[in-house]
Amino acid sequence: MMKYTFCFALILSSIVVLFPPFAAAKPGKWCQSTDAGKTCSSYVSYFANGEVYGYGVNDDLLYIATGYWRQHSDQLCLNLIYKSFDIVTERPYTPDDQNLCNKVLSQSETQLSLRTEDGSIATLYRISETPDHSMSPAPGLLADNAGKIKPGILALNVPPGQFGLYPLPLEMAPASVSFNMSLTPIAADDNTVTAYANVQIGDPDNDYLRVSLLQPKDADSALLMIEYIMPGYKPFRKALASDIKPGEAVLIHLDWQPDGLTTVSYKDQTVQYKLPLQQWQSYFMASNTKATFQRLPD
């Protein structure tokens, strides 16, 4: 519980300014700092519709938090879901959720102060009038230790008929990321079992883009696919390759912009899409397969 206190204080403090007696404050992006905003240990964006997006570094953890707020008098309460990662290997911890309330002490157009549940006081400074779902700029501790970050290989070994899921720290927007992905089908008695693994970005409950590998049980090779899913519509799919061997590491480059322009590159192929993605949550998923993922440092 202790490792999340910093995150919660940050996010709660930013939201309060949407309500009287803090009506003068506007949505935007805020930095939590101990030196009047010169350096930031974490950031939070809050939106006029009540959404929250926060991220930061606490000890050896990178966290990403999303959720919604409500107000009762001077108590600002949050319903949060967050993901946390080892700062060096980027290996994820189990996602968790929390409900909590903090007290707002003071605020202005540029500064916000609140008392956290453990009695400490947190101070935030407004750095932008525009909130976003990005991890940019990077927290000071993360930027200072960028050279030490060595993402490890994430592996899922998923029995036939089941699936596995990892959250990923790919949420910078605009963003550019390269990664390797591979899969090896697991032997199964069911001839219909298909090995499948994908990296997904977007809103998990709305529009999202997948880069996927899939291989039917009796096939000698896998397909590399681009899939765009929009609930209520037929999924869009495009094959970039059909000769991926079991266990072969496929190098993919992805970049996307806040306006939805998304580019996917593999070998000498590059495709672009204009997608209405509003959120940048990301996951590595697999079913009926041994699959690996590794983000490559810039």
Side-chain angles (χ1 to χ4, degrees):
M1 177 64 184
M2 192 64 170
K3 65 184 180 182
Y4 302 116
T5 302
F6 185 83
C7 164
F8 295 154
L10 168 64
I11 297 177
L12 280 171
S13 60
S14 66
I15 301 169
V16 65
V17 295
L18 295 178
F19 287 102
F22 310 108
K26 299 177 181 178
K29 193 162 190 173
W30 295 69
C31 133
Q32 182 163 342
S33 174
T34 57
D35 57 10
K38 294 179 181 179
T39 59
C40 304
S41 56
S42 55
Y43 295 87
V44 61
S45 285
Y46 65 95
F47 300 78
N49 65 358
E51 289 186 55
V52 177
Y53 182 92
Y55 62 96
V57 175
N58 187 16
D59 295 327
D60 60 348
L61 294 179
L62 163 68
Y63 66 80
I64 301 167
T66 56
Y68 296 90
W69 52 264
R70 64 188 186 278
Q71 182 190 17
H72 299 288
S73 185
D74 62 351
Q75 295 295 305
L76 277 301
C77 302
L78 268 188
N79 200 233
L80 282 179
I81 297 175
Y82 54 85
K83 298 176 285 184
S84 57
F85 308 85
D86 184 283
I87 195 173
V88 175
T89 65
E90 294 189 341
R91 180 166 292 277
Y93 296 90
T94 302
D96 201 0
D97 56 19
Q98 291 286 342
N99 299 316
L100 71 161
C101 298
N102 286 351
K103 182 177 181 178
V104 175
L105 301 177
S106 65
Q107 70 82 218
S108 68
E109 286 281 329
T110 58
Q111 185 173 330
L112 183 62
S113 178
L114 74 156
R115 187 180 301 278
T116 67
E117 288 190 331
D118 66 1
S120 62
I121 295 176
T123 304
L124 288 92
Y125 301 86
R126 192 179 186 207
I127 63 170
S128 172
E129 295 182 0
T130 305
D132 58 49
H133 292 95
S134 80
M135 286 177 58
S136 181
L141 186 59
L142 193 62
D144 294 343
N145 290 276
K148 299 179 182 179
I149 297 175
K150 298 179 180 179
I153 294 177
L154 302 177
L156 292 173
N157 189 346
V158 186
Q162 298 185 30
F163 70 93
L165 170 68
Y166 267 134
L168 297 172
L170 302 181
E171 309 196 13
M172 195 173 292
S176 178
V177 64
S178 297
F179 58 89
N180 281 318
M181 183 168 60
S182 69
L183 66 78
T184 301
I186 296 174
D189 295 332
D190 186 352
N191 292 331
T192 65
V193 168
T194 295
Y196 182 73
N198 72 75
V199 172
Q200 174 178 307
I201 63 171
D203 185 337
D205 298 320
N206 199 358
D207 305 316
Y208 52 86
L209 176 76
R210 287 178 176 175
V211 178
S212 60
L213 292 172
L214 61 94
Q215 181 173 353
K217 181 177 183 296
D218 294 328
D220 295 328
S221 60
L223 296 172
L224 173 61
M225 305 286 293
I226 305 299
E227 304 178 83
Y228 177 57
I229 312 298
M230 186 165 57
Y233 294 85
K234 183 178 180 179
F236 168 80
R237 293 184 172 94
K238 177 181 177 64
L240 292 185
S242 59
D243 58 352
I244 310 300
K245 300 303 180 183
E248 176 183 353
V250 179
L251 175 60
I252 296 292
H253 182 77
L254 256 178
D255 66 67
W256 59 97
Q257 301 293 326
D259 65 0
L261 182 62
T262 303
T263 302
V264 184
S265 300
Y266 167 69
K267 291 185 176 179
D268 58 351
Q269 301 182 67
T270 299
V271 292
Q272 284 189 333
Y273 303 95
K274 191 68 174 290
L275 307 174
L277 298 180
Q278 298 297 318
Q279 301 223 21
W280 308 100
Q281 298 186 50
S282 48
Y283 301 89
F284 169 48
M285 298 190 292
S287 62
N288 310 313
T289 186
K290 297 177 181 179
T292 63
F293 166 88
Q294 185 175 29
R295 186 182 70 82
L296 303 180
D298 294 333

